[in-house]
DNA sequence: GCGACAG
DNA sequence: ATCTTGTCGC
């Protein structure tokens, strides 16, 4: 099962059992780079989301970081190929998301994933997986977290550490005053400060990033 | 051992 | 993820 396009699966491919899936994560986790490349100045950000009906609809939307307006988008539909298992989320959504990314006219500069990156039991959530396979900088924004955190301050921009087994794996970030925080973590080729800044840029008005909102709309239309 | 568990 | 109306607030 090939994902096509520029994706490099590093010989791991797609598993069809939970045991194999965990092995893939263990095999790829060492490829994650949590440093922002020199001169990283993205002009756009691409959001990824999947909607569930009889089939899965993967949608990807690229927005201009200056205006937050949609500049490119694509969808790809397909059947469910892996069950939902917490911690193995990427195997369910990523095959379709990669195909959707291939349909974009302009190459993505940053992937904004709907879920976790390093804030994952094996430090290899969806955002890490997407980043490593594509080689594109990536970050994760989850609506819920797996780790432990103290409530951040009440104002937009306030944040607190998200930890797991005593390790800092991300941040609980308040994107709007007095609104439940989102959970930001590094996916690939990016540090946590950069990821946090990007998420704040993408949330001038709403709790969730504009990329995620656009992709969500497209996926359910 | 038991519960909790991204979407 | 999804099943679902009204309501409060900017």
């Amino acid at each position: 099962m090939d994902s096509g396009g520029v994706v490099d699966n590093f010989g791991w491919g797609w598993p069809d059992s939970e045991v194999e899936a965990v092995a893939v994560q263990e095999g790829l986790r060492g490829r994650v780079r949590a440093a922002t490349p020199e001169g990283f100045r993205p002009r756009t950000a691409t959001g990824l989301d999947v909607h569930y009906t009889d089939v899965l609809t993967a949608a990807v939307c690229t927005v201009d970081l200056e205006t937050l307006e949609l500049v490119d988008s694509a969808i790809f539909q397909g059947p469910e190929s892996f069950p939902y298992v917490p911690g193995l989320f990427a195997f369910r959504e990523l095959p379709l998301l990669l195909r959707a990314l291939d349909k974009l006219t302009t190459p993505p500069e940053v992937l904004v994933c709907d879920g976790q990156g390093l804030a994952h039991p094996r430090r290899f959530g969806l955002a890490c997986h997407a980043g490593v396979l594509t080689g594109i900088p990536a970050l994760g924004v989850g609506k819920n977290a797996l780790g432990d955190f103290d409530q951040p301050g009440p104002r937009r921009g306030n944040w607190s550490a998200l930890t797991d087994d005593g390790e800092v794996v991300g941040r609980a970030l308040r994107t709007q005053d007095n609104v439940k925080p989102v959970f930001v973590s590094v996916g690939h080729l990016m540090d946590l400060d950069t990821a946090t800044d990007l998420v704040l840029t993408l949330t001038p008005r709403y709790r969730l990033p504009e990329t995620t909102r656009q992709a969500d709309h497209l996926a359910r239309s």
Side-chain angles (χ1 to χ4, degrees), chain A residues 128-182:
Chain A
C128 298
H129 210 143
V132 165
L133 293 193
T134 60
I136 300 170
L139 64 92
V141 180
K143 294 181 279 294
N144 296 290
L146 294 172
D148 310 308
F149 66 97
D150 294 320
Q151 281 305 325
R155 310 277 295 173
R156 165 176 157 83
N158 292 164
W159 57 265
S160 57
L162 175 63
T163 64
D164 186 38
D165 287 327
E167 259 181 81
V168 174
V169 294
R171 287 174 185 169
L173 174 67
R174 194 87 64 183
T175 56
Q176 298 297 318
D177 292 355
N178 300 100
V179 168
K180 176 181 172 174
V182 297

Side-chain angles (χ1 to χ4, degrees), chain A residues 79-112:
Chain A
E80 181 182 305
S81 60
F82 201 88
Y84 171 66
V85 180
L88 299 179
F89 187 46
F91 299 99
R92 192 170 168 74
E93 299 202 341
L94 205 43
L96 298 170
L97 287 168
L98 293 174
R99 300 292 294 271
L101 286 173
D102 280 338
K103 293 175 69 178
L104 288 174
T105 304
T106 314
E109 298 176 75
V110 195
L111 305 179
V112 180

Side-chain angles (χ1 to χ4, degrees), chain A residues 8 16 18 33 44 47 62 65 88 100 111 124-125 127 140-141 163 165 173 181 194 197 210:
Chain A
D8 188 344
D16 49 32
E18 294 188 22
R33 293 292 169 263
T44 63
T62 299
L65 281 169
L88 299 179
L111 305 179
F124 199 72
V141 180
T163 64
D165 287 327
L173 174 67
T194 303
D197 288 347
E210 208 51 43

